[in-house]
Amino acid sequence: MAQPLSQLYQRFKQLRGRRIFIIPTRFGLLYAAFLILILLGAINYSNSLGHVLAFLLGSLGLVAMLHTYRNLAKIELTQATTKPVFCGQAIIFSLVFDNQSHFDSYHIEISSKQETSKSWNPFRSLSGYLHPQQLSPLTAQHTTRFSYSLPSQQRGKYTLGKIRIASQFPLGLYSTWGYFPNNYAALVYPKPEGTLPLPDATAQGQKLNSQQQQGTDDFAGFNRYRTGDPIHAIAWKAMARDDVLRTKQFSTLQGGQLAINWQDVSQINNVEARLSQLCKWVLQAESSGMSYSLSLPNNSIPFGHGETHRHRCLTALALYE
Amino acid sequence: MLGLTLGALPHFYYQPIWVAIIFLAMIGWRCMNIWRAWPLPSKRYKKQRWLQLSIAAFAVTLLLLHYGNLIGRDAGVALLTVMLGIKVTEIRSSRDFYLSSFLGYFLVVTNFFYSQSIGTAALMFVVVIIMTASLISLNDLTQSIHTKFKLKLAGKMLLQAVPLMILLFVLFPRIAGPLWGLPDDAYNAKTGIDDSMTLGKISQLIQSDEIAFRVEFADKIPTQSSLYWRGPVLWHTDGTTWTALDEKQYTANPPEIVSSGEIYRYSTTLEAHNNKWLFALDFPTQLPTDEKTHFTQDGQLRSDDNIKQRIQYQLSSQTQYTLNAGHDEFLQLALQLPENQHPRTQQLAQQWRQQTTHPHEIIELALNHFNQQDFYYTLSPTPLSGDTIDQFLFETRRGFCEHYAASFTVLMRAAGVPTRVVTGYQGGEINPINNVLVIRQRDAHAWTEVWIQGKGWIRIDPTAAVSKERIEQGMSMVMPLTMRSPLLIAQSQKLAELWQALRNNLDALDNKWNQWILAYGPKLQKEFLAKLGMSSPDWQKMVAWLVASISIVLLIISLFIFYRRKHHDPIARLYQTFCNRVALERGISEGPLDFANRLKQYYPDNAIEIDHITQLYINLHYGNQSASIEQLKQYVNRFKPQK
């Protein structure tokens, strides 16, 4: 008995789609007050056209409700992408909205609230939406990309939380809104700053002399092929000679190697400031073409170079706790 | 702003000119701010602020001087107009904007105190559309929507609102007003006949084209010469002015009426005249059931209250009657004459009196006198001074109905025959469009009644003795064309006829409007709903019907709003136009390029154009924004297949 009923309810929910809320605005209430005033006046003077106007405006108010509702009714958030940013820069979520209705939508306000914890007060969920931005128009049956930018205030993972779309279009008599709960998140790296110089690369490098230094620039010899070696590094000519797969080994000429350690910034007291300094070093090391490693108390990343490596290091810094 | 101006426009007609000047000046100021960046009053512009405040103070003072108060209807409306104008100069926030928009709606309502014509209603719609568009504009924060689109949207919304409005209008339970006291000036004195008469007064009325009342006969229309619509009956004269009896005196007893002959049933729509009398064809067989009325001793049909709104009442009349045949309590009053006046008239009457004592013959003598001497019926009588009756009878001899009625009464009374003056309307014009008899102010008339023992009060119309046409064909036949239509049109007979036809049509429409829209009150609502099938309508039933029907209509409207099958893609439409122009048919699964290749073989001369159109369509349709719809439109419009 219960199961078909709940199935039915699920289907109904699907059909109904997202919940859209609508209430009159301050001006809507003012409008209603004026209407009642006009109607009272019309009754008092037994003025027929006064009745007509009051009824016309009343009907207009009802129709406006439908129009305001329609403005949001069929809008879906289909996609959100973002790129990591450094703290202080604006996080830009590229949101893709799909307007599935046959009508254009105008003037939609997008805002968001991070904190999604449940509160005993149901009205808490109504307020606290920040960073409102206007989006207009949303063409009928088209997707529209919108860059929603948010200030980043601290490093770490920035979850978008609930996105709220709201609109008062066309008459401003009603306010309608709906939510898109989601778990889209952006990564915020620490802000690169600090005055300490880069640790001495060579001094660090000599310590590691015995280790194999691998780079990409200078040919340093052959190694036997191991699974996972890059294909482009296979020495095909050498294979033609003796049927043994070898990979060419290169070494980096320029900066040598740099190990970035948590201990290097121990003279800075503040953890955030330390991370900022480390972040700056990572960027410096990356741009000067060195191979670098990062060791944090809870994580360590071996030597490497390049975009992916940088991202790995910065992510470790961003998420350090 | 345009909406406000339009809404205020009709007011300028009723209000002193300076109200309009201040209003327009304020609007102009605002416009200059928009176009030329003139400073508006604000904290930053102290000078402008002072100017604005002083204008406001000045306007209030003027209003006080002009009206004496600020709460009456006219003064209140003028105040609203002026203040709204001043408000426009200081609209800064959206709150100000909403407030002035809503006040603008209010201004539209105040229009209806003065006029409820079809034109005013149409103006109301235009104002509401513009106001709605400006509200949309206010909510269009970035001003990215085209004005034309805003107006279109506003119009669409209003159109969707209309069915709901009709339902509300029909079904919303009406309450009989007023809910609270009305200001004294709520009803203006209207032009129309009065309960006193001086010579020359009615002839002013004939300048007025205004409608006094309309009569719709159920079956047969009586002949023109029996269409006497009785109004106030005048007894007392001081030599120049004729006045009615004191109200308390003559309402005590109903008259004694015995009527016979054909019964005419009719429905009268009386315009508000702020007096108590109702007009009826002499003589109604009973009181109307629609209104609280009574008959007076002298045969007037009077309402218990002043007629402040257009009313409608059903009556039936018989045109042959005897009135107070046995006896009349006021007979002595019908012989009253001012002392020591009209010596020459008295002398003439005495002369007749010596010839005969029979009232019939005296009347005959008087009428013959009017008929055979050189008396003329004229719409512009010579102004009289001094002893007006003597002067008219023996010197000018050019008069209007009131001259004849008054002097005839004086003659009769001097000869000892009880006589009184009856004012009202005579005749009327049948509108051929809806067969409604329209009685205008210019049909105002005065005649007399003479009391003869055994026969009662007999109607004698001395005007008929002078001008038969007036009575038999009606006023409009007597009037020259120039008085019936604007000067320019009256130059040509054809134009004048056209004008008349147009006016008849408009009037027929106006009549329907009055009867159905403006008169729609608690009473008519009950009748109408009963006709629709609601048994014994009361407010509970109306509310139930209202809620049910509004829900249904809202549902229909929302279906209309939310679901639209047809795809409004201008690109696809243009391409379809192109496809329709060629003789070949595009296969269901045929891509535009394949179709183009086929077309090029068929129309080798048009190959370049076909390529262009196809390429543009593909670019546009599949997301390449470099192409423009305009271009595609041009190509498609120019495309002419040649074979």
Side-chain angles (χ1 to χ4, degrees):
Chain A
M1 182 65 201
Q3 211 188 352
L5 267 183
S6 90
Q7 271 176 2
L8 214 66
Y9 177 67
Q10 288 298 326
R11 273 199 59 192
F12 170 68
K13 250 173 108 174
Q14 266 178 3
L15 266 176
R16 190 182 56 179
R18 204 162 27 78
R19 256 176 222 240
I20 303 266
F21 304 86
I22 186 161
I23 55 163
T25 59
R26 263 182 326 138
F27 302 118
L29 295 177
L30 188 69
Y31 181 81
F34 261 88
L35 276 194
I36 291 172
L37 215 63
I38 288 176
L39 185 62
L40 283 180
I43 291 174
N44 195 40
Y45 283 85
S46 304
N47 190 308
S48 227
L49 282 190
H51 280 99
V52 170
L53 181 67
F55 295 148
L56 178 68
L57 292 180
S59 315
L60 187 67
L62 284 177
V63 171
M65 181 169 75
L66 295 176
H67 276 262
T68 312
Y69 178 80
R70 181 182 81 185
N71 210 27
L72 285 195
K74 294 252 174 136
I75 290 174
E76 286 300 331
L77 175 65
T78 51
Q79 194 192 347
T81 51
T82 183
K83 281 183 184 152
V85 292
F86 293 100
C87 186
Q89 288 177 330
I91 308 168
I92 293 175
F93 279 98
S94 176
L95 306 177
V96 176
F97 289 100
D98 184 9
N99 183 4
Q100 293 158 357
S101 81
H102 289 280
F103 301 89
D104 296 352
S105 292
Y106 299 92
H107 292 290
I108 288 164
E109 186 193 84
I110 292 161
S111 53
S112 64
K113 182 160 84 167
Q114 270 192 292
E115 167 236 338
T116 48
S117 63
K118 293 249 171 168
S119 160
W120 57 269
N121 180 357
F123 293 108
R124 274 289 289 283
S125 66
L126 293 178
S127 60
Y129 290 86
L130 299 173
H131 318 302
Q133 274 153 50
Q134 292 290 332
L135 167 60
S136 178
L138 280 176
T139 317
Q141 299 200 312
H142 271 72
T143 54
T144 306
R145 187 175 288 277
F146 176 67
S147 296
Y148 181 52
S149 80
L150 295 157
S152 58
Q153 272 143 0
Q154 62 183 82
R155 68 178 175 86
K157 208 169 189 176
Y158 185 99
T159 46
L160 192 47
K162 252 178 171 177
I163 291 183
R164 188 180 111 121
I165 55 171
S167 175
Q168 298 190 353
F169 193 82
L171 295 191
L173 304 180
Y174 297 91
S175 180
T176 173
W177 72 94
Y179 303 108
F180 296 111
N182 62 75
N183 42 23
Y184 295 122
L187 194 63
V188 180
Y189 299 148
K191 190 173 184 173
E193 62 183 3
T195 48
L196 290 182
L198 209 59
D200 193 349
T202 37
Q204 300 282 332
Q206 268 164 0
K207 253 195 256 171
L208 303 156
N209 232 358
S210 53
Q211 289 183 5
Q212 188 79 35
Q213 291 177 40
Q214 287 178 346
T216 51
D217 297 331
D218 277 9
F219 180 64
F222 292 114
N223 257 356
R224 264 199 108 88
Y225 175 81
R226 286 172 297 184
T227 333
D229 278 349
I231 293 175
H232 64 80
I234 293 173
W236 298 104
K237 277 188 195 162
M239 193 187 87
R241 265 201 313 269
D242 54 10
D243 282 347
V244 179
L245 267 178
R246 292 184 184 84
T247 49
K248 290 180 270 189
Q249 296 294 308
F250 298 89
S251 65
T252 307
L253 231 198
Q254 296 160 301
Q257 287 183 318
L258 174 64
I260 301 170
N261 283 308
W262 183 249
Q263 288 77 25
D264 296 337
V265 289
S266 54
Q267 69 242 60
I268 303 172
N269 285 330
N270 188 322
V271 176
E272 293 306 317
R274 280 186 196 177
L275 292 168
S276 286
Q277 180 65 67
L278 291 175
C279 172
K280 190 175 179 187
W281 284 350
V282 167
L283 294 183
Q284 281 174 340
E286 173 70 28
S287 63
S288 62
M290 281 187 275
S291 164
Y292 54 93
S293 69
L294 175 69
S295 67
L296 298 174
N298 62 349
N299 196 352
S300 77
I301 295 157
F303 284 94
H305 183 79
E307 196 57 40
T308 327
H309 182 63
R310 190 188 81 136
H311 177 63
R312 242 180 104 191
C313 293
L314 291 178
T315 308
L317 290 174
L319 301 179
Y320 177 78
E321 278 179 55
Chain B
M1 219 163 54
L2 180 68
L4 285 187
T5 317
L6 271 177
L9 209 59
H11 280 306
F12 300 159
Y13 180 71
Y14 308 104
Q15 286 164 1
I17 179 80
W18 50 265
V19 170
I21 293 174
I22 292 178
F23 183 84
L24 288 178
M26 291 293 128
I27 298 278
W29 188 354
R30 184 75 205 197
C31 289
M32 288 317 272
N33 168 258
I34 294 167
W35 295 327
R36 295 278 159 80
W38 281 18
L40 285 178
S42 67
K43 281 194 185 116
R44 259 182 64 215
Y45 295 103
K46 282 267 163 50
K47 229 190 269 169
Q48 277 76 11
R49 183 90 191 138
W50 278 111
L51 177 65
Q52 183 210 24
L53 284 178
S54 47
I55 290 175
F58 176 66
V60 171
T61 326
L62 271 181
L63 282 173
L64 274 173
L65 284 177
H66 194 267
Y67 293 105
N69 63 29
L70 288 178
I71 30 183
R73 183 191 66 171
D74 292 342
V77 173
L79 185 70
L80 180 65
T81 316
V82 171
M83 288 304 151
L84 196 54
I86 292 171
K87 180 81 195 164
V88 166
T89 61
E90 55 165 30
I91 291 177
R92 265 182 301 265
S93 63
S94 58
R95 194 185 65 97
D96 291 337
F97 195 96
Y98 278 108
L99 203 66
S100 11
S101 297
F102 298 161
L103 281 175
Y105 288 136
F106 220 73
L107 199 64
V108 175
V109 172
T110 55
N111 270 341
F112 300 147
F113 292 150
Y114 301 97
S115 156
Q116 296 199 64
S117 66
I118 301 177
T120 322
L123 185 72
M124 171 191 85
F125 270 89
V126 174
V127 171
V128 171
I129 287 186
I130 293 174
M131 298 273 227
T132 311
S134 65
L135 279 186
I136 296 175
S137 172
L138 180 67
N139 281 284
D140 177 22
L141 302 162
T142 48
Q143 297 299 327
S144 53
I145 305 174
H146 202 267
T147 316
K148 213 166 111 190
F149 176 80
K150 286 176 198 161
L151 280 172
K152 215 172 115 187
L153 181 60
K156 230 190 249 172
M157 289 177 74
L158 220 60
L159 222 62
Q160 288 159 352
V162 164
L164 288 177
M165 180 199 77
I166 293 170
L167 279 178
L168 278 167
F169 185 79
V170 173
L171 285 168
F172 189 88
R174 293 306 184 86
I175 304 159
L179 300 175
W180 64 87
L182 297 175
D184 296 335
D185 58 352
Y187 303 105
N188 275 354
K190 303 270 162 69
T191 49
I193 61 166
D194 215 339
D195 54 359
S196 72
M197 180 181 90
T198 46
L199 297 191
K201 200 167 179 181
I202 291 183
S203 46
Q204 277 169 12
L205 273 183
I206 60 157
Q207 309 290 342
S208 170
D209 230 7
E210 251 179 76
I211 288 166
F213 54 98
R214 296 182 172 91
V215 180
E216 213 173 338
F217 284 95
D219 20 59
K220 237 183 118 180
I221 301 177
T223 54
Q224 189 83 20
S225 55
S226 57
L227 291 174
Y228 279 88
W229 307 95
R230 177 182 286 253
V233 179
L234 309 178
W235 296 72
H236 185 267
T237 173
D238 62 356
T240 47
T241 309
W242 295 75
T243 47
L245 288 184
D246 182 42
E247 202 174 328
K248 276 182 207 126
Q249 268 183 313
Y250 62 64
T251 49
N253 300 313
E256 220 178 278
I257 304 169
V258 184
S259 42
S260 59
E262 189 157 6
I263 296 180
Y264 299 100
R265 284 180 301 123
Y266 55 96
S267 143
T268 310
T269 313
L270 177 63
E271 300 290 317
H273 54 48
N274 207 17
N275 278 307
K276 287 190 176 159
W277 49 80
L278 301 177
F279 296 98
L281 193 63
D282 274 348
F283 252 99
T285 49
Q286 77 275 330
L287 290 173
T289 50
D290 329 49
E291 299 286 328
K292 281 189 184 143
T293 52
H294 55 267
F295 272 124
T296 64
Q297 175 75 33
D298 50 11
Q300 293 177 60
L301 182 62
R302 282 174 82 96
S303 160
D304 291 358
D305 301 303
N306 281 14
I307 312 293
K308 292 178 172 178
Q309 296 159 33
R310 181 181 295 110
I311 57 162
Q312 210 174 359
Y313 49 90
Q314 324 285 332
L315 280 175
S316 50
S317 288
Q318 286 171 308
T319 51
Q320 290 165 23
Y321 61 91
T322 59
L323 174 60
N324 286 352
H327 119 110
D328 193 288
E329 40 185 310
F330 300 116
L331 270 191
Q332 280 314 305
L333 290 173
L335 288 168
Q336 175 265 340
L337 277 177
E339 278 173 42
N340 306 324
Q341 281 198 50
H342 324 312
R344 295 173 73 183
T345 313
Q346 300 255 16
Q347 205 189 330
L348 179 65
Q350 289 307 321
Q351 209 180 305
W352 291 341
R353 185 75 204 243
Q354 279 154 22
Q355 289 178 30
T356 172
T357 50
H358 213 283
H360 273 303
E361 286 165 16
I362 294 177
I363 295 166
E364 200 68 20
L365 280 171
L367 291 180
N368 280 341
H369 181 72
F370 282 135
N371 198 349
Q372 283 152 21
Q373 306 278 322
D374 55 342
F375 281 96
Y376 295 100
Y377 178 76
T378 167
L379 302 180
S380 42
T382 327
L384 303 170
S385 57
D387 195 326
T388 48
I389 303 290
D390 273 6
Q391 207 185 359
F392 169 68
L393 276 180
F394 299 99
E395 286 160 36
T396 64
R397 292 191 165 186
R398 273 156 182 76
F400 192 57
C401 58
E402 56 202 344
H403 296 81
Y404 293 99
S407 51
F408 180 79
T409 309
V410 172
L411 277 169
M412 286 302 110
R413 286 181 179 188
V417 182
T419 312
R420 59 189 184 191
V421 175
V422 184
T423 58
Y425 297 87
Q426 201 280 324
E429 225 179 319
I430 303 269
N431 185 343
I433 306 295
N434 52 3
N435 236 13
V436 167
L437 185 70
V438 180
I439 291 101
R440 296 175 190 274
Q441 294 301 348
R442 62 162 189 245
D443 295 314
H445 192 53
W447 60 96
T448 63
E449 278 180 331
V450 174
W451 192 82
I452 293 170
Q453 181 67 45
K455 295 194 171 166
W457 292 98
I458 296 171
R459 179 168 58 220
I460 305 288
D461 192 346
T463 310
V466 183
S467 165
K468 267 209 169 100
E469 300 81 43
R470 165 66 185 92
I471 309 303
E472 282 168 7
Q473 289 167 29
M475 196 63 189
S476 49
M477 291 300 137
V478 183
M479 282 179 114
L481 262 183
T482 40
M483 283 186 83
R484 278 191 287 146
S485 39
L487 211 61
L488 205 71
I489 290 172
Q491 307 291 330
S492 133
Q493 181 74 30
K494 266 227 175 87
L495 268 180
E497 272 164 21
L498 203 72
W499 167 257
Q500 194 63 36
L502 191 71
R503 244 184 44 162
N504 283 340
N505 274 304
L506 279 179
D507 189 69
L509 189 67
D510 212 35
N511 190 33
K512 277 272 165 292
W513 174 259
N514 288 340
Q515 279 180 357
W516 286 106
I517 309 293
L518 299 189
Y520 198 81
K523 211 175 71 192
L524 191 59
Q525 181 177 40
K526 281 205 175 116
E527 284 171 22
F528 183 68
L529 291 181
K531 246 185 221 167
L532 278 187
M534 192 193 288
S535 51
S536 60
D538 54 10
W539 70 268
Q540 287 104 327
K541 264 188 206 165
M542 288 184 205
V543 169
W545 276 43
L546 189 62
V547 171
S549 57
I550 287 220
S551 320
I552 292 168
V553 172
L554 258 185
L555 203 71
I556 294 169
I557 293 177
S558 45
L559 280 179
F560 199 67
I561 288 180
F562 289 105
Y563 300 98
R564 182 161 66 177
R565 281 269 163 260
K566 209 172 127 199
H567 197 88
H568 283 270
D569 183 356
I571 303 163
R573 259 206 327 250
L574 279 172
Y575 187 67
Q576 195 53 48
T577 324
F578 162 71
C579 294
N580 292 342
R581 290 221 178 135
V582 293
L584 300 181
E585 202 161 314
R586 188 178 155 207
I588 295 166
S589 57
E590 190 173 23
L593 278 174
D594 294 335
F595 184 54
N597 285 334
R598 211 150 58 86
L599 280 179
K600 278 190 282 186
Q601 285 170 15
Y602 194 74
Y603 299 114
D605 297 342
N606 294 99
I608 300 167
E609 287 166 84
I610 291 169
D611 265 345
H612 267 303
I613 290 170
T614 309
Q615 204 50 51
L616 270 172
Y617 168 67
I618 289 169
N619 281 347
L620 280 166
H621 195 68
Y622 298 101
N624 188 338
Q625 295 301 321
S626 64
S628 82
I629 298 182
E630 284 305 309
Q631 224 177 338
L632 179 63
K633 203 172 179 178
Q634 270 181 21
Y635 275 117
V636 171
N637 286 341
R638 239 188 280 153
F639 179 74
K640 274 194 198 78
Q642 282 154 7
K643 180 80 190 178

